Amino acid sequence: MFKVNFQHLIELKYNKKGDGDKGWEAKKQEGIQQVRGYLQLPSIAALKNLNAWLIVTDTQRVEVSRLA
């Protein structure tokens, strides 16, 4: 039997370089809302030791946020 110590939920958002900082923040907020929605789903809320992550990138920069 294989024991899982941690589980991960990862949301990846891509921001077009031309969208700039406003686009970056919009993608970040969109991702946060999506992850919060996923965490409310009974099948996901039941998972033990779940870490939720949001990754936003435009291929030149990357921002990683731990949300749960």
Side-chain angles (χ1 to χ4, degrees), residues 12-58:
L12 175 63
K13 291 292 182 190
Y14 174 74
N15 182 57
K16 295 179 186 174
K17 292 178 192 172
D19 291 344
D21 290 338
K22 283 186 178 183
W24 185 274
E25 282 305 312
K27 287 292 182 186
K28 184 176 177 180
Q29 290 307 311
E30 178 183 327
I32 289 170
Q33 291 304 315
Q34 281 185 294
V35 170
R36 287 181 179 160
Y38 298 148
L39 293 173
Q40 299 302 312
L41 297 172
S43 58
I44 293 178
L47 297 173
K48 295 180 180 181
N49 298 323
L50 177 68
N51 293 302
W53 304 89
L54 170 63
I55 302 171
V56 182
T57 187
D58 64 5

